[in-house]
Amino acid sequence: GRIERYPRIRVASVDELSVGDTVEFEYPLDGSGTFLTRLSEAANGGVGPGDGIVAFSNLCTHMGCAVSGNVESDRGVAGPCPCHYTTFDLAKGGLVIMGPATTDLPQVRLDVEDGDVFATGMAGLVHGRRNNLA
Ligand code: FES
C-alpha cells in the first residue's frame, strides 16, 4: 500500500509494560515488522516511566535479518543479530555497537496519551526500502 504520511497507531498500554516486555507490531505499513520494549534506563526518544519505552524496526540494517528475537531490555540492546552478529544500542537511537551493519536501527517515534503508547513516525530507512511509506 501507499500512504502519504505516517499513521498514528496505538501500540500498548503503559501500565501493562514492565521492564523487559517486548511487543511486536507492524509499522508504518502492514508487513513492516517493528518491536516495542521497555528498557531499565532512559533512552533517546524514550517515552513513559523513566523515558524507557522505545520502538524500532525489526530488520537488521545489514542484510535484513530479524533482530527482535534477540532484544535484551535490561542491557538496552537488540542483537547480536542471528545472521552476522550486529548489535544495536536501543538507548542511543539504535546506534551500531558492533558488527558489520553501518546504519543505525530505524527508530519508531512514540508518544503517550491517556496511558497508551502511540507510534507516530519513524526515523531512518527500513532495510530494503527506498521509502518507509511505499
Ligand atoms: Fe544482521 Fe547481517 S543481517 S548482521
Side-chain angles (χ1 to χ4, degrees), residues 59-67 80-88 98-101 127:
L59 299 183
C60 179
T61 54
H62 180 228
M63 292 180 70
C65 292
V67 293
C81 173
C83 293
H84 318 96
Y85 310 111
T86 296
T87 302
F88 300 93
M98 53 176 258
H127 178 81

Side-chain angles (χ1 to χ4, degrees), residues 64-129:
C65 292
V67 293
S68 63
N70 289 341
V71 174
E72 293 191 34
S73 301
D74 53 338
R75 293 202 301 134
V77 303
C81 173
C83 293
H84 318 96
Y85 310 111
T86 296
T87 302
F88 300 93
D89 190 332
L90 302 182
K92 296 196 175 120
L95 189 72
V96 175
I97 299 171
M98 53 176 258
T102 56
T103 306
D104 299 348
L105 200 60
Q107 184 166 11
V108 179
R109 284 193 286 268
L110 302 173
D111 70 21
V112 173
E113 184 181 323
D114 295 335
D116 289 324
V117 184
F118 289 82
T120 65
M122 197 155 203
L125 193 57
V126 173
H127 178 81
R129 291 192 175 273

